[in-house]
């Protein structure tokens, strides 16, 4: 992921201001070590730190239209750029970069072109003809973006909070799926899918349609001119991503440059659930597998760096970001610059274990909508920043716009978990890829119980974090927590410990307001905590907090097998879905 920084309409266009913008832009250098660019037009500055994935030779930024009257700095990947170029027959492109289409689309369609982009992106576009500008962020918020306002009336845009928090009077997260225009001075939501209203959909479940949609989402993300791999935890989501990638890689342009054998990566404590499962999946798929181990102490030693890079004090996010942060460093050291990951599936299909308690299909659907809308504050934030900390890009096919439209149009009755019928969490996704003739995965992996990433890397990871926090946060500190941290008051010593570190890096009130709060159990929203009265006394984001659901719950004496035979026995015979040709 690249890093963008823009200061627009400031009162100072001196050399000193230019130096300051360059200085702030360097705070984002970890996101794009391949190139640094800065363009100044009057009182507007557009800076860019590039991570070169497509067209490394000529795609340096900022990018321009033919006469350089439109200037763009972009962080993202536009997967349909070749199709869009065909619509711009009267335009001449300076580079082969996928982002080069943006300036030309603006010339043709004005501000309404954003919904034509199929990909992930954050960009600032400056029209020097009237000194107007627009800022936009992708549909779900896979790319990170912040907006701030200076006392002099300037507007600041940055891929990370650290690029503007010291210079803005107020700043906040730039809302996903929105566009900000200087002509109106307001945000406008450009992303308006049918599911956003949370109306209950009624399209019948068709496993083949769902399978095709996801395979297409994975295939389009194979667009790269640099070495890449897949993150493989051994859970359902990452295993499906790896399986599809391995199945279709051979016929792509990428395979011609880098070979058709896929590399996979996993991280965990010694003998963790994820390491064992990932090893088995990698062997089944024939990937070149890289297994990284870390200790609880390794993770604890990295916590301060993690909080600085991830820019949050949310307990769930920090727990999961730390092993991903450590793994990303190892991956980048191997020369890999892009990975494909499985984030987003649990939000779309109700995969978290607390969904077992959903009272009806309406509540189930509303909760999935709430979870998708909040992804930019949690899993997207983690996946984007934990990898970008080391100049690595993460792509997430489950959050493909077209795939989400398909998955969220399905009658939620089909997503409901019904153990008496053998329907475990994400049953419709598992069934869609249960192909007897051409298996995607071993059956027990396809039906492996959900493990949240911070659990799957090893249960002692979370237990170790709690023990470490207990040594650094006293009972007296907790009694005064509401006075020290009146907003989002930490209710555990672990949360208090993270909050102290966060406030040291980001002491501004605007910074603490960027982090969500509220009660949660097993990663639920506060609303879903109401589904089970017992959860109110067991609030913790770990999947093990879903007592009576997780096979290794906090109150269980002995962890059980991840895939018990009684679940296998209750799985109905899956329909045989023939393998079909997928459109690239």
């Amino acid at each position: 992921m690249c890093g963008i920084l823009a200061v627009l309409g400031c009162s100072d266009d001196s050399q000193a201001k230019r130096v300051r913008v360059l200085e702030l832009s360097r705070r984002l250098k970890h996101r794009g070590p391949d190139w640094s660019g800065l363009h100044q037009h009057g009182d507007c500055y557009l800076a860019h730190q590039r991570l070169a994935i497509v067209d490394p030779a000529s795609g340096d930024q900022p990018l321009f239209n033919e006469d350089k009257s439109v200037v763009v700095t972009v962080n993202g990947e536009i997967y349909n750029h070749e199709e869009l170029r065909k619509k711009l027959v009267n335009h001449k492109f300076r580079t082969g970069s996928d982002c080069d289409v943006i300036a030309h689309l603006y010339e043709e369609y004005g501000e309404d072109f954003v919904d034509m982009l199929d990909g992930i992106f954050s960009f600032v576009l400056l029209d020097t003809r009237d000194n107007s500008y627009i800022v936009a962020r992708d549909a779900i918020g896979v790319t990170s973006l912040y907006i701030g306002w200076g006392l002099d009336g300037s507007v600041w845009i940055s891929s990370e909070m650290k690029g503007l928090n010291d210079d803005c009077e107020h700043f906040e997260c730039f809302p996903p799926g929105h566009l900000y225009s200087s002509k109106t001075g307001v945000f406008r939501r450009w992303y308006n899918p049918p599911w956003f209203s949370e109306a209950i959909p009624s399209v019948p479940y068709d496993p083949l349609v769902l399978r095709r949609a996801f395979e297409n989402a994975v295939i389009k993300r194979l667009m790269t001119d640099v070495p890449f791999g897949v993150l493989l935890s051994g859970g359902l989501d990452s295993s499906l991503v790896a399986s599809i990638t391995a199945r279709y890689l051979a016929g792509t342009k990428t395979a011609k440059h880098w070979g058709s054998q896929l590399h996979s990566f996993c991280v965990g404590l010694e003998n963790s659930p994820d390491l064992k499962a990932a090893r088995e999946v990698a062997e089944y798929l024939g990937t070149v597998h890289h297994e990284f181990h870390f200790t609880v102490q390794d993770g604890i030693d990295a916590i301060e760096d993690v909080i600085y890079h991830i820019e949050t004090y949310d307990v769930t996010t920090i727990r999961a970001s730390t092993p991903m942060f450590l793994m990303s460093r190892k991956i980048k050291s191997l020369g890999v610059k892009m990975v494909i990951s499985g984030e987003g599936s649990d939000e779309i299909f109700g995969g978290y274990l607390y969904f077992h308690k959903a009272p009806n299909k309406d509540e189930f659907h509303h909760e999935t909508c709430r979870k998708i809308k909040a992804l930019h504050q949690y899993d997207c934030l983690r996946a984007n920043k934990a990898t970008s900390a080391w100049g690595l890009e993460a792509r997430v096919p489950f959050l493909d716009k077209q795939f989400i439209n398909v998955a969220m149009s399905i009658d939620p009755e089909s997503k409901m978990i019904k153990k008496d019928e053998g329907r475990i969490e994400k049953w419709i996704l598992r069934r869609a890829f249960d192909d007897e003739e051409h298996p995607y995965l071993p059956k027990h992996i396809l039906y492996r119980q959900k493990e949240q990433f911070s659990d799957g890397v090893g249960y002692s990871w979370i237990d170790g974090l709690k023990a470490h926090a207990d040594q650094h946060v006293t009972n007296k500190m907790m009694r005064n927590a509401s006075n020290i941290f009146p907003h989002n008051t930490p209710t555990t010593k672990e949360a208090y410990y993270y909050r102290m570190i966060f406030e040291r890096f980001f002491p501004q009130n605007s910074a603490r307001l960027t982090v969500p709060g509220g009660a949660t159990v097993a990663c639920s929203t506060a609303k879903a905590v109401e589904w089970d009265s017992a959860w109110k006394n067991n609030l913790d984001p770990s999947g093990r907090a879903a007592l009576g659901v997780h096979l290794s719950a906090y109150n269980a004496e002995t962890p059980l097998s991840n895939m018990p035979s009684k679940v296998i026995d209750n799985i109905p015979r899956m329909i045989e879905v023939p393998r079909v040709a997928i459109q690239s």
Side-chain angles (χ1 to χ4, degrees):
M1 284 296 170
C2 304
I4 63 173
L5 176 70
V7 183
L8 305 154
C10 60
S11 59
D12 182 6
D13 61 356
S14 66
Q15 180 64 23
K17 190 66 174 182
R18 184 182 179 89
V19 170
R20 178 57 176 165
V21 172
L22 282 170
E23 177 187 349
L24 293 172
S25 179
R26 290 191 193 102
R27 294 185 182 181
L28 310 179
K29 196 166 186 176
H30 53 273
R31 298 182 65 91
D34 298 326
W35 173 261
S36 298
L38 174 64
H39 180 83
Q40 180 183 358
H41 177 77
D43 57 1
C44 294
Y45 300 81
L46 275 67
H48 187 263
Q49 300 288 343
R50 187 186 184 204
L51 178 66
I53 304 294
V54 176
D55 186 26
S58 68
D60 296 333
Q61 294 192 31
L63 298 166
F64 304 89
N65 64 338
E66 289 88 342
D67 64 3
K68 293 193 174 184
S69 61
V70 178
V71 191
V72 186
T73 182
V74 192
N75 169 31
E77 301 290 338
I78 310 303
Y79 302 122
N80 64 334
H81 74 103
E82 292 183 353
E83 175 187 333
L84 292 172
R85 284 172 185 257
K86 294 176 183 177
K87 296 181 179 181
L88 299 165
V89 292
N90 296 321
H91 292 258
K92 293 182 179 180
F93 296 91
R94 296 174 179 272
T95 78
S97 168
D98 51 292
C99 295
D100 207 355
V101 297
I102 291 177
H104 304 280
L105 287 170
Y106 170 77
E107 284 190 291
E108 288 290 328
Y109 302 99
E111 295 180 359
D112 294 330
F113 77 90
V114 181
D115 198 25
M116 299 171 65
L117 301 175
D118 181 8
I120 54 174
F121 53 83
S122 297
F123 69 79
V124 179
L125 182 151
L126 174 65
D127 189 338
T128 64
R129 293 168 294 192
D130 58 4
N131 225 37
S132 64
Y133 58 85
I134 60 173
V135 186
R137 188 180 184 188
D138 65 73
I140 304 300
V142 176
T143 61
S144 59
L145 195 66
Y146 295 83
I147 182 170
W149 292 268
L151 286 173
D152 62 352
S154 57
V155 175
W156 294 60
I157 304 295
S158 178
S159 293
E160 295 186 6
M161 194 158 56
K162 60 183 66 69
L164 49 68
N165 66 307
D166 290 332
D167 290 73
C168 293
E169 183 68 12
H170 174 75
F171 54 91
E172 58 193 47
C173 292
F174 194 100
H178 280 70
L179 179 147
Y180 178 89
S181 173
S182 64
K183 293 178 180 178
T184 60
V186 298
F187 294 97
R188 172 171 63 85
R189 185 154 58 87
W190 63 263
Y191 180 56
N192 297 285
W195 66 267
F196 211 88
S197 68
E198 301 188 14
I200 308 302
S202 59
V203 176
Y205 167 54
D206 184 330
L208 189 54
V209 170
L210 187 64
R211 182 200 290 187
R212 284 172 173 164
F214 188 58
E215 289 191 314
N216 282 329
V218 173
I219 290 167
K220 72 174 67 171
R221 281 160 178 79
L222 300 181
M223 178 188 77
T224 176
D225 293 329
V226 299
F228 84 105
V230 293
L231 302 185
L232 179 60
S233 71
L236 172 68
D237 307 327
S238 66
S239 297
L240 281 179
V241 169
S243 178
I244 296 167
T245 303
R247 183 170 292 206
Y248 291 103
L249 177 60
T252 65
K253 295 179 182 178
T254 301
K256 294 178 182 178
H257 289 101
W258 304 106
S260 57
Q261 191 165 24
L262 181 64
H263 287 252
S264 57
F265 308 96
C266 185
V267 67
L269 302 177
E270 197 77 43
N271 299 318
S272 69
D274 280 0
L275 288 180
K276 180 181 178 182
R279 204 177 300 138
E280 181 178 357
V281 174
E283 184 176 350
Y284 181 83
L285 298 177
T287 68
V288 179
H289 192 55
H290 307 267
E291 188 176 285
F292 305 121
H293 297 176
F294 76 104
T295 65
V296 172
Q297 189 59 53
D298 290 334
I300 289 172
D301 291 343
I303 288 293
E304 290 203 11
D305 286 339
V306 169
I307 292 174
Y308 173 75
H309 281 285
I310 310 301
E311 302 180 325
T312 187
Y313 51 82
D314 174 68
V315 171
T316 318
T317 307
I318 294 170
R319 286 177 176 179
S321 294
T322 304
M324 195 171 195
F325 176 86
L326 295 171
M327 176 172 57
S328 296
R329 185 178 194 176
K330 293 283 191 179
I331 293 173
K332 186 59 184 290
S333 72
L334 298 175
V336 173
K337 298 178 72 173
M338 184 272 282
V339 290
I340 308 178
S341 189
E343 277 76 17
S345 173
D346 292 313
E347 287 72 15
I348 294 170
F349 295 105
Y352 292 108
L353 298 183
Y354 72 89
F355 275 93
H356 280 249
K357 302 286 183 148
N360 53 61
K361 73 173 189 178
D362 289 14
E363 272 296 297
F364 192 106
H365 182 69
H366 291 155
E367 177 71 359
T368 59
C369 293
R370 289 190 292 264
K371 291 292 291 181
I372 296 172
K373 291 175 182 178
L375 264 169
H376 68 287
Q377 298 175 302
Y378 296 101
D379 285 19
C380 287
L381 188 79
R382 166 179 57 80
N384 181 280
K385 293 182 179 178
T387 53
S388 293
W390 302 106
L392 183 69
E393 176 178 290
R395 295 182 180 176
V396 285
F398 277 109
L399 298 182
D400 180 82
K401 275 199 307 181
Q402 295 170 0
F403 176 72
I404 292 176
N405 287 342
V406 171
M408 292 302 289
S409 69
I410 299 171
D411 188 332
E413 180 64 31
S414 300
K415 297 181 181 180
M416 291 284 286
I417 300 163
K418 299 180 180 181
K419 291 199 290 184
D420 57 335
E421 299 178 16
R423 285 171 49 172
I424 61 175
E425 64 276 356
K426 292 184 286 195
W427 175 78
I428 65 171
L429 180 63
R430 301 175 195 270
R431 183 183 182 190
F433 286 91
D434 196 342
D435 188 331
E436 298 285 352
E437 186 176 351
H438 301 286
Y440 284 76
L441 294 168
K443 188 82 75 173
H444 64 284
I445 295 292
L446 193 62
Y447 291 94
R448 182 188 175 200
Q449 185 185 60
K450 165 67 182 174
E451 288 282 8
Q452 288 162 212
F453 186 50
S454 53
D455 287 328
V457 296
Y459 296 136
S460 58
W461 166 233
I462 291 176
D463 299 335
L465 286 173
K466 290 181 176 182
H468 179 74
D470 192 56
Q471 294 175 350
H472 290 79
V473 179
T474 66
N475 292 334
K476 183 178 180 180
M477 293 163 74
M478 289 303 298
R479 285 196 296 271
N480 291 322
S482 61
N483 297 315
I484 302 299
F485 305 116
H487 174 75
N488 276 351
T489 302
T491 57
T492 66
K493 290 185 177 181
E494 185 185 5
Y496 194 108
Y497 179 68
Y498 299 154
R499 185 67 173 271
M500 288 192 300
I501 298 171
F502 177 87
E503 298 260 349
R504 197 162 72 241
F505 291 128
F506 308 104
Q508 301 86 358
N509 187 55
S510 290
R512 62 182 66 100
L513 293 176
T514 64
V515 182
T520 182
V521 61
C523 285
S524 73
T525 66
K527 179 67 176 175
V529 173
E530 301 171 6
W531 292 351
D532 190 328
S533 58
W535 286 345
K536 295 179 181 178
N537 300 318
N538 194 52
L539 296 176
D540 189 285
S542 167
R544 288 181 291 160
L547 303 181
V549 177
H550 194 284
L551 298 176
S552 297
Y554 279 131
N555 63 345
E557 294 182 4
T558 305
L560 302 176
S561 163
N562 281 317
M563 188 57 191
S565 59
K566 63 181 179 181
V567 176
I568 288 280
D569 294 341
N570 285 332
I571 296 172
R573 180 167 178 77
M574 300 303 160
I575 62 170
E576 294 187 5
V577 183
R579 187 177 180 188
V580 294
I582 302 297
Q583 296 179 352
S584 336

